[in-house]
Amino acid sequence: MKKQKTIMLIDMQFFYASVEKAKTPKYINQPLLVAGDPARRGGVILAACPIAKACGVDSGEVLWKALLSSVLKSNEQPV
């Protein structure tokens, strides 16, 4: 009998953001991104919570571009 292979795809689109919100309750009702080094403002967004996505930020986006667009929309300084 030939063995069958099973391939699974688990969509964890904002898993890391959800974990951070569970770990740090002050982030619960705020847009949250998980990305590269904030001091360098480099890298890409690994995860964005639904609130951040509603602000126009998406997973896979370049961090500096996401920060720039969100600052322009909200007139706030990035943390």
Side-chain angles (χ1 to χ4, degrees), residues 1-76:
M1 181 175 201
K2 188 176 179 182
K3 289 185 178 181
Q4 287 187 326
K5 291 184 180 181
T6 302
I7 299 172
M8 293 178 60
L9 170 65
I10 301 171
D11 185 3
M12 298 176 63
Q13 195 169 16
F14 55 90
F15 171 75
Y16 297 109
S18 299
V19 169
E20 188 60 35
K21 284 187 175 208
K23 204 169 86 174
T24 314
K26 70 179 182 178
Y27 296 143
I28 288 177
N29 293 315
Q30 296 182 15
L32 182 74
L33 304 174
V34 177
D37 183 1
R40 289 187 16 227
R41 302 284 190 229
V44 297
I45 296 172
L46 301 173
C49 75
I51 299 170
K53 289 182 179 219
C55 295
V57 177
D58 202 6
S59 300
E61 189 173 354
V62 181
L63 183 57
W64 67 266
K65 184 179 174 186
L67 289 171
L68 180 64
S69 67
S70 65
V71 168
L72 292 175
K73 288 178 186 175
S74 68
N75 293 324
E76 295 177 8

